[in-house]
Amino acid sequence: MKCPICKFGEMKEGFTQVVLTRGNATVIFRNVPASICDDCGEYYLDEETAQDIYARADSCFSSGQEVAIIEYKQPIPA
C-alpha cells in the first residue's frame, strides 16, 4: 500500500517509537509495532495498539510522572 502522506513510499510492518506529551509531561514508548512508510517514515498504529498506548500514557500522566520511557509489550489477549 502507498503511503497516504507522501504518496511515494510503501507501508511496511516494523517497529517505531511513539512520543506523547501532555502539558510538561512526556511518555516515550519504544518498539511499538506499526505500519511504517519506507520513504517518509510516517507510521500508523492499529486500533488496538493505539488504544493500549493511550491508556498506558494516561495512567502515567495521571500519576504525575513528568517523563516515562516504556518498552512496549503487547497485552496478552483475554
Side-chain angles (χ1 to χ4, degrees):
M1 170 176 131
K2 289 281 185 199
C3 176
I5 299 297
C6 73
K7 311 288 190 235
F8 295 106
E10 291 291 325
M11 301 304 291
K12 308 228 179 196
E13 294 302 312
F15 296 90
T16 192
Q17 180 172 284
V18 176
V19 180
L20 300 173
T21 302
R22 183 184 295 167
N24 291 329
T26 301
V27 179
I28 301 167
F29 292 92
R30 298 188 307 192
N31 295 314
V32 179
S35 295
I36 306 166
C37 175
D38 65 2
D39 187 54
C40 72
E42 186 70 26
Y43 67 85
Y44 295 90
L45 306 178
D46 66 38
E47 186 175 346
E48 183 180 322
T49 301
Q51 287 177 351
D52 185 45
I53 290 275
Y54 293 140
R56 292 184 194 192
D58 193 47
S59 176
C60 290
F61 294 139
S62 297
S63 72
Q65 291 183 354
E66 289 187 27
V67 176
I69 301 173
I70 300 168
E71 188 73 23
Y72 184 77
K73 292 186 178 33
Q74 289 181 292
I76 298 170

